[in-house]
Structure formats: structure tokens, C-alpha cells
Amino acid sequence: MSDICIIGGGHAAGRLVNNLQKLNYNGNIDIFSEENFLPYERPSLSKDFLLDKKNINDFQIDIDLDKVNYYFNTKINKVDFQNKLIIDLNNKSYSYSKLIFANGSYPKRIFDEDIKGVHYLRNINDSINIKKNIQNSKNIILLGAGYISLEISSSIKKKYPKKEVTIIDISEKILVRNSNDDLRELILKHQRKNNVKFLLKSVIKSVQKNNDESIEFVALDDDKLLACDLLIVGIGVHPNNKIIEGTDLYDDNGIKVNEFCETSIKDVYALGDVALAKNVFLNKFVREESWNNAEKQSNILAQNLIGTKIAYEEIPWFWTDQFDQNFQILGEINNFDNKILRSYSDNKNTFLYIKNKKLIGAVAENNGRDISIIRKILKKNIEPNFEKIQNININLKELL
Amino acid sequence: MNDNENWVKTYSINDIDDEDVKEFHLPNGNKIAVYNINNSFYATDLFCTHEKVSLCDGFIDGDSIECPLHQGVFKISTGEVLESPPTEGLKIYLTKIENNFIYVNIN
Ligand SMILES: Cc1cc2nc3c(=O)[nH]c(=O)nc-3n(C[C@H](O)[C@H](O)[C@H](O)COP(=O)(O)OP(=O)(O)OC[C@H]3O[C@@H](n4cnc5c(N)ncnc54)[C@H](O)[C@@H]3O)c2cc1C
Ligand code: FES
């Protein structure tokens, strides 16, 4: 029996073990991963890894393998909370003392069947396959105008400026989730400048194949045909919660946990993309799907597992890198009643969002320093002087 | 090389405000960041070890510098990583003050 049993071998799982090892935890740890790789961080998969600027060693998470039982290629299929057992695809069961769900999320699919030339991006093998296929493709279509597609379009155009890249989305706007109109405008400016095409309010109805079964055209809902030899689908992710279907813990939007990463079942925890976690700053349950969330929740959970109870109090924060530009989102960027733009130059801007005279969030283009300062203001609950914020000659640091 | 040749003259101590940092190019082509923290002067490599971005655009908080790209944090005096994503520490350089100028040891 393991003391700590972790389902999933991704970012959150790897960092959790790494943190436990740093804290000199010496209980038994079992990790079950359906992948064949040690844990790694995923952001580079759509950016520097696609561009061959980084390899897996650059983003693999360092854990001491001598001190854990690592089960590679082992997919957990079922959980029996009553008897404290997890069961893999071959019906082998393993008992646990404490169970951690760190099994992340999976990309939503457009077709049930696998079609040659249709790809999804979640893991390193997906990224390797996409990289190979980009090389030999002329007409690339990215379905879904979310962060993953916008990063892939940037990587493709940086390496192959002449390739046709079109992003299709059912919505009339890009980035329907986790964004706002200010950020959309900033991002679209760079995408369009680099000749990425957009077909919004469009739906892919079907694909037409060549004789060798590879994709040749996509058919849109208005029956228009678009030449396409590579279709990469990025239409959002869904939490990997199927393995607890039918149990009390099941929720369509993830595994519900409080700010300590605890579920309603004793000794059962969740973190990372799969966790629908209580966010103290937003005062609601959110599934964050971000590097920062996986990284910081694993710090909190490691402490909690060794008995130092700490709450997760991070302000939601997300970054995306496209066409050598860095965009960051902090806090609440939608439900505001006022905003201030600090524009330093064409490509360096910070929007600050205000509600009921309180600062609630920010969006920055190439201005991480402002985000660092605004995070401090929000954490310390400082009442900022908005006149000062409006004055671009005043360093935001003065508000601290 | 005698010891004198290891020391490169950079800025005057009056050129860098307290809690501020300035980029400097060494004669060998390497780029460094020179910091004033409460009138103590430090020098580190210019670029974050996670990706090639200038730490001079970052945020100084006490003895730490927060990278502008993904908010990795380094301790300025030792170069150690205080917050990920970087995993590799920052190269640091010895400094000394002579006649109000900051000298950096490149050895
Ligand atoms: C291409 C890409 C780019 C990204 N870029 C950014 C970015 O720029 N900024 C940012 O903030 N975030 C980014 N993210 C999001 C970030 O990587 C995720 O939020 C983070 O990986 C979540 O960590 P996790 O451990 O919860 O899930 P994951 O890292 O996905 O790990 C889950 C692991 O569990 C395994 N697993 C699932 N089910 C089972 C099972 N039943 N049995 C065994 N194993 C199982 C999976 O195979 C996987 O290895 C990106 C994600 C992707 C895919
Ligand atoms: S480039 Fe510095 S933290 Fe990523």
C-alpha cells in the first residue's frame, strides 16, 4: 500500500513529488501515468518545442526516481473510494492511504473517429507529430481560436512564413474564454500582421479525404470547401473526470476541492487542470487550466500533506507568448465598471480594470513588470490612487 | 591576466537609482545587469535562464528580481532561483566600488 498515490504524471503530479522530496517526505509514493515520459511542463509544446528551440530536458521536472514507484503507461480506469483502491485498465488494483487526482484535462474532439491529418495537442507525442506534419503541409487549418491555436499559428508562421495558416472558429470573436476585448484586439493585431487568416462565425461540417485516406478539404457549414492538408483542433479541454463517474465526487466540470485542495472525501485531493478549486480571490470555484495553477497548487498540497495547512490564495494569472510578444492576464478582467490604459509604446500596454473603485485585474502586453506590481497591490489590498495610475510618468511602484 | 584586468569599470554609483538596474555590455560581448539595492551594488547576467529576456525589464523587490516574461524570481546577491519556471541559477559577478564607480569582476 502506498502512503501517497497520485493519478497522473503531468506538471502538477511532477511538481508535487518534487516539492514533497524537497520537504524530505519519506513515505511511499506511487505515481500512475498513462504517458511514457517523466513529468514535464507543457507550455513549450505549442511554442519553443515546436520551433526546435527547446527539447524535453528543458522542461522535464526533476524528481528522485529511487524514492518513488513510477508506473509508466498505466492508465487508471476506476476508483473505489470505500475500499481505498484504484484500478487500472488491466483490472489490477492498488491500495492507497491518501489519493491525489492530478490527471489533468483532455482536448475536446471534433470527430469520434481518428482521421489522418487531424491532430490535437496535449502531450509531447502530439507535439512531435504536429511538428513533422507542419513541415510537409501547405494549407494548415487550426480549428478553434483559443490560446493553443494562436500559439501554434505563431510558431508555424515564425518558422515557415509562407505557409497558409487559417484559424476557424464558430464564435464571432477569438478567445471566447479567459479573455476580453482589449486582449483580443492586442493579439489580433500581431496575428494579422503576420498573415494568419481568420474565418470566424464558421463551422467545419465534415472533411473530404484523398484516396490514401488523408485529409484534402474541410467543408464548412455554408458548403464552402477549403484546401487543407493538416487540421489541428484546439476547441478547449475537458477535465479527466470519467474515472469517477457515478461516485459522489463526480461533477461535469472537474473534481471539486476547497482552497486546501481537499475534496469532500477524507484523504482524497485534487489539483491542476482537473480540480474545480475554490479561488479565494474570485470567491468562486474555478478550473484554471494554467501553468501557475498547477505549479502553485502543488506547493500548497505538498505542505498540506506533511501537515502544514496552507490555503491556496493565488490570484489567477496566465501568460501566452505569440510572435515574440508576451501577454499576461491577472485577476478579474471582465466584470469591471471602469478601466485605465497605461500605454508605454505601440507594443507595450497595460490595461487596469476597476470595479466599485477597487482594482480587480489587469491585462499586459510586453509589460510583466506592471503585472508584478499590480499583483502586489491586489495581494496587499492596497487602495490605489487612480490619478497616479493614469499618469504614465509615474512609476506604478510608487503605489506600493 | 593580473587581477586589475579582471575588473571592468561600469557605471558611476550615481547613475543607478536605489532599487533599480541597468544593462551593461562587457568588453567580451557578454551582457550583464548592474543593480543598486539600498546602495549595495550587484551584477548578474542580463538574461533570464528560462528564456532569453532582459531582467532589466523585471521588477526588483528587496534583494530579488522578478522576470518580466513568466515571473521567475532570482535572488540578486546569489543568483539562486527563488521561484520557478527557471531551474538554473543566474550567473553573478563580484563587484567593488572605487572612486564612486562600480567595477565588475569578469573572472
Ligand atoms: C500545448 C499547451 C500549451 C500551454 N501553454 C500554456 C501557457 O503558455 N501558459 C499557461 O499558463 N498554461 C499553459 N498550458 C496549460 C498548462 O500546461 C496546464 O494547465 C498544466 O499542464 C496542467 O497540469 P496538470 O498536471 O493538471 O495536467 P497535465 O500536465 O495535463 O497532466 C495530467 C497527466 O495525467 C495523465 N492522465 C490522465 N488521465 C490519467 C489516468 N486515468 N491514468 C493515468 N494517467 C492519466 C495525462 O496523460 C497527463 O500526463 C498549456 C497547455 C498545453 C497543452
Ligand atoms: S523567461 Fe524568465 S521566467 Fe520565463
Side-chain angles (χ1 to χ4, degrees), chain A residues 117-129:
Chain A
V118 180
H119 292 257
Y120 300 83
L121 177 52
R122 184 71 200 173
N123 60 40
I124 193 135
N125 286 330
D126 297 336
S127 188
I128 291 169
N129 281 333

PDB file of all heavy atoms in Angstrom, chain A residues 117-129:
ATOM      1  N   GLY A 117      -4.281  13.226 -40.572  1.00  0.00           N
ATOM      2  CA  GLY A 117      -4.181  14.669 -40.860  1.00  0.00           C
ATOM      3  C   GLY A 117      -4.949  15.532 -39.875  1.00  0.00           C
ATOM      4  O   GLY A 117      -4.874  16.749 -39.932  1.00  0.00           O
ATOM      5  N   VAL A 118      -5.712  14.897 -38.963  1.00  0.00           N
ATOM      6  CA  VAL A 118      -6.413  15.672 -37.937  1.00  0.00           C
ATOM      7  C   VAL A 118      -5.691  15.459 -36.602  1.00  0.00           C
ATOM      8  O   VAL A 118      -5.520  14.323 -36.163  1.00  0.00           O
ATOM      9  CB  VAL A 118      -7.895  15.241 -37.800  1.00  0.00           C
ATOM     10  CG1 VAL A 118      -8.588  16.064 -36.717  1.00  0.00           C
ATOM     11  CG2 VAL A 118      -8.619  15.398 -39.129  1.00  0.00           C
ATOM     12  N   HIS A 119      -5.229  16.543 -36.010  1.00  0.00           N
ATOM     13  CA  HIS A 119      -4.395  16.430 -34.802  1.00  0.00           C
ATOM     14  C   HIS A 119      -4.948  17.244 -33.643  1.00  0.00           C
ATOM     15  O   HIS A 119      -5.636  18.241 -33.842  1.00  0.00           O
ATOM     16  CB  HIS A 119      -2.978  16.943 -35.094  1.00  0.00           C
ATOM     17  CG  HIS A 119      -2.231  16.069 -36.044  1.00  0.00           C
ATOM     18  ND1 HIS A 119      -1.259  15.198 -35.653  1.00  0.00           N
ATOM     19  CD2 HIS A 119      -2.347  15.934 -37.389  1.00  0.00           C
ATOM     20  CE1 HIS A 119      -0.790  14.555 -36.707  1.00  0.00           C
ATOM     21  NE2 HIS A 119      -1.433  14.987 -37.775  1.00  0.00           N
ATOM     22  N   TYR A 120      -4.580  16.805 -32.427  1.00  0.00           N
ATOM     23  CA  TYR A 120      -4.892  17.513 -31.183  1.00  0.00           C
ATOM     24  C   TYR A 120      -3.565  17.718 -30.467  1.00  0.00           C
ATOM     25  O   TYR A 120      -2.648  16.917 -30.647  1.00  0.00           O
ATOM     26  CB  TYR A 120      -5.824  16.670 -30.309  1.00  0.00           C
ATOM     27  CG  TYR A 120      -7.135  16.359 -31.001  1.00  0.00           C
ATOM     28  CD1 TYR A 120      -7.235  15.282 -31.897  1.00  0.00           C
ATOM     29  CD2 TYR A 120      -8.256  17.145 -30.784  1.00  0.00           C
ATOM     30  CE1 TYR A 120      -8.433  15.010 -32.558  1.00  0.00           C
ATOM     31  CE2 TYR A 120      -9.458  16.872 -31.438  1.00  0.00           C
ATOM     32  CZ  TYR A 120      -9.537  15.805 -32.320  1.00  0.00           C
ATOM     33  OH  TYR A 120     -10.708  15.548 -32.965  1.00  0.00           O
ATOM     34  N   LEU A 121      -3.455  18.746 -29.636  1.00  0.00           N
ATOM     35  CA  LEU A 121      -2.175  18.978 -28.952  1.00  0.00           C
ATOM     36  C   LEU A 121      -2.352  18.973 -27.440  1.00  0.00           C
ATOM     37  O   LEU A 121      -2.926  19.900 -26.869  1.00  0.00           O
ATOM     38  CB  LEU A 121      -1.574  20.318 -29.410  1.00  0.00           C
ATOM     39  CG  LEU A 121      -0.266  20.751 -28.726  1.00  0.00           C
ATOM     40  CD1 LEU A 121       0.791  19.665 -28.777  1.00  0.00           C
ATOM     41  CD2 LEU A 121       0.275  22.029 -29.359  1.00  0.00           C
ATOM     42  N   ARG A 122      -1.873  17.917 -26.810  1.00  0.00           N
ATOM     43  CA  ARG A 122      -1.884  17.878 -25.344  1.00  0.00           C
ATOM     44  C   ARG A 122      -0.563  17.379 -24.779  1.00  0.00           C
ATOM     45  O   ARG A 122      -0.107  17.823 -23.747  1.00  0.00           O
ATOM     46  CB  ARG A 122      -3.018  16.962 -24.845  1.00  0.00           C
ATOM     47  CG  ARG A 122      -3.164  16.942 -23.331  1.00  0.00           C
ATOM     48  CD  ARG A 122      -3.728  18.254 -22.814  1.00  0.00           C
ATOM     49  NE  ARG A 122      -3.449  18.448 -21.388  1.00  0.00           N
ATOM     50  CZ  ARG A 122      -3.713  19.557 -20.722  1.00  0.00           C
ATOM     51  NH1 ARG A 122      -4.278  20.587 -21.328  1.00  0.00           N
ATOM     52  NH2 ARG A 122      -3.430  19.657 -19.439  1.00  0.00           N
ATOM     53  N   ASN A 123       0.062  16.428 -25.499  1.00  0.00           N
ATOM     54  CA  ASN A 123       1.277  15.860 -24.908  1.00  0.00           C
ATOM     55  C   ASN A 123       2.441  15.919 -25.888  1.00  0.00           C
ATOM     56  O   ASN A 123       2.306  16.385 -27.028  1.00  0.00           O
ATOM     57  CB  ASN A 123       1.023  14.431 -24.403  1.00  0.00           C
ATOM     58  CG  ASN A 123       0.578  13.511 -25.521  1.00  0.00           C
ATOM     59  OD1 ASN A 123       1.092  13.588 -26.644  1.00  0.00           O
ATOM     60  ND2 ASN A 123      -0.380  12.644 -25.237  1.00  0.00           N
ATOM     61  N   ILE A 124       3.574  15.419 -25.424  1.00  0.00           N
ATOM     62  CA  ILE A 124       4.794  15.576 -26.206  1.00  0.00           C
ATOM     63  C   ILE A 124       4.730  14.823 -27.541  1.00  0.00           C
ATOM     64  O   ILE A 124       5.208  15.310 -28.563  1.00  0.00           O
ATOM     65  CB  ILE A 124       6.030  15.181 -25.363  1.00  0.00           C
ATOM     66  CG1 ILE A 124       7.299  15.637 -26.040  1.00  0.00           C
ATOM     67  CG2 ILE A 124       6.091  13.720 -25.047  1.00  0.00           C
ATOM     68  CD1 ILE A 124       8.273  16.285 -25.121  1.00  0.00           C
ATOM     69  N   ASN A 125       4.084  13.639 -27.534  1.00  0.00           N
ATOM     70  CA  ASN A 125       3.970  12.901 -28.790  1.00  0.00           C
ATOM     71  C   ASN A 125       3.105  13.670 -29.794  1.00  0.00           C
ATOM     72  O   ASN A 125       3.399  13.684 -30.991  1.00  0.00           O
ATOM     73  CB  ASN A 125       3.374  11.500 -28.555  1.00  0.00           C
ATOM     74  CG  ASN A 125       4.397  10.584 -27.917  1.00  0.00           C
ATOM     75  OD1 ASN A 125       5.598  10.754 -28.147  1.00  0.00           O
ATOM     76  ND2 ASN A 125       3.951   9.656 -27.095  1.00  0.00           N
ATOM     77  N   ASP A 126       2.032  14.317 -29.285  1.00  0.00           N
ATOM     78  CA  ASP A 126       1.194  15.133 -30.182  1.00  0.00           C
ATOM     79  C   ASP A 126       2.050  16.224 -30.820  1.00  0.00           C
ATOM     80  O   ASP A 126       1.950  16.496 -32.026  1.00  0.00           O
ATOM     81  CB  ASP A 126       0.076  15.846 -29.407  1.00  0.00           C
ATOM     82  CG  ASP A 126      -0.904  14.889 -28.741  1.00  0.00           C
ATOM     83  OD1 ASP A 126      -1.014  13.749 -29.201  1.00  0.00           O
ATOM     84  OD2 ASP A 126      -1.551  15.314 -27.759  1.00  0.00           O
ATOM     85  N   SER A 127       2.897  16.856 -29.995  1.00  0.00           N
ATOM     86  CA  SER A 127       3.695  17.975 -30.494  1.00  0.00           C
ATOM     87  C   SER A 127       4.717  17.489 -31.536  1.00  0.00           C
ATOM     88  O   SER A 127       4.934  18.155 -32.557  1.00  0.00           O
ATOM     89  CB  SER A 127       4.376  18.665 -29.311  1.00  0.00           C
ATOM     90  OG  SER A 127       5.004  19.829 -29.720  1.00  0.00           O
ATOM     91  N   ILE A 128       5.313  16.323 -31.272  1.00  0.00           N
ATOM     92  CA  ILE A 128       6.290  15.770 -32.230  1.00  0.00           C
ATOM     93  C   ILE A 128       5.597  15.471 -33.568  1.00  0.00           C
ATOM     94  O   ILE A 128       6.098  15.810 -34.636  1.00  0.00           O
ATOM     95  CB  ILE A 128       6.937  14.485 -31.648  1.00  0.00           C
ATOM     96  CG1 ILE A 128       7.837  14.850 -30.464  1.00  0.00           C
ATOM     97  CG2 ILE A 128       7.721  13.711 -32.717  1.00  0.00           C
ATOM     98  CD1 ILE A 128       8.325  13.663 -29.641  1.00  0.00           C
ATOM     99  N   ASN A 129       4.397  14.870 -33.492  1.00  0.00           N
ATOM    100  CA  ASN A 129       3.657  14.545 -34.720  1.00  0.00           C
ATOM    101  C   ASN A 129       3.256  15.794 -35.488  1.00  0.00           C
ATOM    102  O   ASN A 129       3.366  15.860 -36.711  1.00  0.00           O
ATOM    103  CB  ASN A 129       2.372  13.767 -34.390  1.00  0.00           C
ATOM    104  CG  ASN A 129       2.691  12.320 -34.125  1.00  0.00           C
ATOM    105  OD1 ASN A 129       3.681  11.805 -34.640  1.00  0.00           O
ATOM    106  ND2 ASN A 129       1.885  11.682 -33.301  1.00  0.00           N
TER     107      ASN A 129
END
